[in-house]
Each structure stands twice: as structure tokens, then as C-alpha cells.
Amino acid sequence: MKVAIIGAGNMGGAIARGLAQGHCVNVQDIIVTNPSTPKLEKLKTEFPEICVSTNNEDAGDADIVIVAVKPWMVEKVLKPLRLRQPQMLVSIAAGLTFEDLAHFVDPEMPIFRVIPNTAISLRASMTLIACRNASEQQIQMMLDLFNEMGLSILIEEKQFAAATALTSCGIAYVLKYVQAAMQAGVEEGIHPKEAMKMVAQTLEGAARLLLENENAHPVLEIEKVTTPGGITIKGINSLEHDGYTSAIINAIKASM
């Protein structure tokens, strides 16, 4: 299976690196195209077997073509390639619907819309996937590809706005909490870097509690640490008095 990635920017480059470190695709079967060479040369240095090119036409015969360019460049990039089934198109471009993409390729070919978040560079992304004209086997193949770079989940296209707010935008909201907690720690005499490690590791622990137990729920985990009359419940109540839950809900809705 040959995979082409058009665009070697932050997201395209991260996907290329993730695929090259995975097991679903042979490194020599990955080709990355980009108009300029510095990013391609860096990829080639890291993964000598990966194929690179400044000509997008070299991506046209791949089984899977991943378009990782700005939304306004997608039509210009795709139309000359004349992609058609049984090839599969994967678009990373936010905002371009299946109907939009179908104008640039064979409308009957399998098309996937994929939204990772920036943690894909560390193979820890929460990646959203929606599909059109795809078989169960093709869907599973796509889930397997992106599961090697974190966790992927299949959703309907109509859920993209809300899910993107939770994941792609959501990573910024989580980091904003880290920043705020660090500031509180510094005010109480903790060194900034130590405070950051403390909060980051606490977040990782919280995430694993939820991800590694299918019966887990935030309410249950909160109950375990909020003993009657304890300090945690006082902090929780303080957050609620200050509108913490409403602020998060409003931020996510504002991102949609």
C-alpha cells in the first residue's frame, strides 16, 4: 500500500513521521510532496527510506492520498491529479465538506475527512475521522493508520464542528488550565517548571483513569478524592461558584 502526503508543514510532516514509525505502511511506500525542499530534506534526514518530491504529480498514483495543505489550496492541488477509485482521498483541510471535496476528484471514490490535533507530532493525537463511499475494510484501515498516532474515532460529518471544538480547540483549553494552575503554584512558591511537570503529570494520570477503564466517568473519579469536609471539595465548590463549568461549555460552543 502506497501512501502519499501532499504538504510537509506541521500537520503533514507530523503525519509522515507518525506513519514512518508505525507498522501499517512500509517507510519506502510513503511519499511526501512539498513545493520547497527544506522540510523535505529534514524528513529525508530523519527517515532516509521515505520518498520526497517537489512535484505533486508524483503523489497521483498512491493508494491513499492525504492532502495536508491550507483549505484554499486544496482545489489547486487535487484537480490536476484526477484521483479516482479505488484510490482513497484523506483531507486534513478543516471546513471543506465531502460535497466540496467531491468536486475536485471522482465523486464516487472513498473520501475521508480527518482532523487530528497538534499532539499528533508526539503520536498522541485525538483524531476525528468521517467517511463517504468507504467500505468497512477501508474504514478500519484508516482507523488503524491514525491509531498509530494516538487515538482515532469515527464520527458523522455533521458532528465535526462540535468534536473539533472538543479536541482540536480543546487541547488549547486544557493547556490554558495548565497555565493557570502553574500561576497559582508559582504564587505559592513552586518553581514554574516544577509546577508545569506536576500539573502535566496530573493531567496524564486523569486521562489514563478515563481511557483505560471502560466503566470510568469523571463524576466517579472526582468522588474518590472529594471526602466530606476535605480540601478538594472546597476547591471544587470554589470552581463552581466562579462559573468554571459554564466557562468551559461557553468556550467550546464559541469554537463551533
Side-chain angles (χ1 to χ4, degrees), residues 171-217:
I171 199 168
Y173 307 148
V174 171
L175 291 170
K176 189 65 179 175
Y177 164 76
V178 173
Q179 183 184 37
M182 284 173 60
Q183 289 175 213
V186 171
E187 184 176 338
E188 297 301 321
I190 300 174
H191 190 277
K193 287 189 176 180
E194 291 179 349
M196 183 177 70
K197 286 182 180 179
M198 291 177 190
V199 180
Q201 181 59 44
T202 301
L203 285 178
E204 181 179 357
R208 290 181 63 180
L209 285 172
L210 298 177
L211 291 172
E212 296 182 11
N213 180 358
E214 62 179 17
N215 296 317
H217 190 282

Side-chain angles (χ1 to χ4, degrees), residues 105-180:
V105 297
D106 171 9
E108 300 302 317
M109 73 181 295
I111 303 176
F112 292 85
R113 290 185 60 195
V114 174
I115 301 292
N117 64 30
T118 52
I120 198 168
S121 62
L122 299 175
R123 303 176 73 200
S125 173
M126 177 63 253
T127 301
L128 309 172
I129 299 177
C131 65
R132 166 171 151 162
N133 299 332
S135 67
E136 291 296 325
Q137 183 180 9
Q138 290 168 330
I139 293 170
Q140 190 58 55
M141 181 188 304
M142 206 59 59
L143 289 169
D144 290 343
L145 281 179
F146 285 95
N147 276 336
E148 290 200 318
M149 292 173 273
L151 175 65
S152 65
I153 186 169
L154 186 69
I155 64 172
E156 297 179 35
E157 185 179 36
K158 65 183 180 182
Q159 297 174 309
F160 251 56
T164 299
L166 289 172
T167 60
S168 187
C169 303
I171 199 168
Y173 307 148
V174 171
L175 291 170
K176 189 65 179 175
Y177 164 76
V178 173
Q179 183 184 37

Side-chain angles (χ1 to χ4, degrees), residues 1-8 11-16 19 25 30-33 56 59-60 62-69 74 77-78 81 83 87-93 109 112-114 116 120 142 145-146 149:
M1 180 175 64
K2 185 175 181 181
V3 177
I5 302 167
I6 301 177
M11 202 59 75
I15 292 172
L19 289 178
V25 184
I30 301 171
I31 180 169
V32 183
T33 67
N56 289 337
D63 301 295
I64 299 175
V65 177
I66 301 174
V67 182
V69 299
V74 171
V77 165
L78 284 182
L81 299 182
L83 301 180
Q87 290 176 293
M88 289 180 277
L89 171 66
V90 177
S91 170
I92 310 296
M109 73 181 295
F112 292 85
R113 290 185 60 195
V114 174
I120 198 168
M142 206 59 59
L145 281 179
F146 285 95
M149 292 173 273

Side-chain angles (χ1 to χ4, degrees), residues 27-33 40 44 47-53:
V27 180
Q28 61 268 27
D29 291 328
I30 301 171
I31 180 169
V32 183
T33 67
L40 296 178
K44 193 72 174 175
F47 304 97
E49 293 182 82
I50 209 166
C51 301
V52 299
S53 173

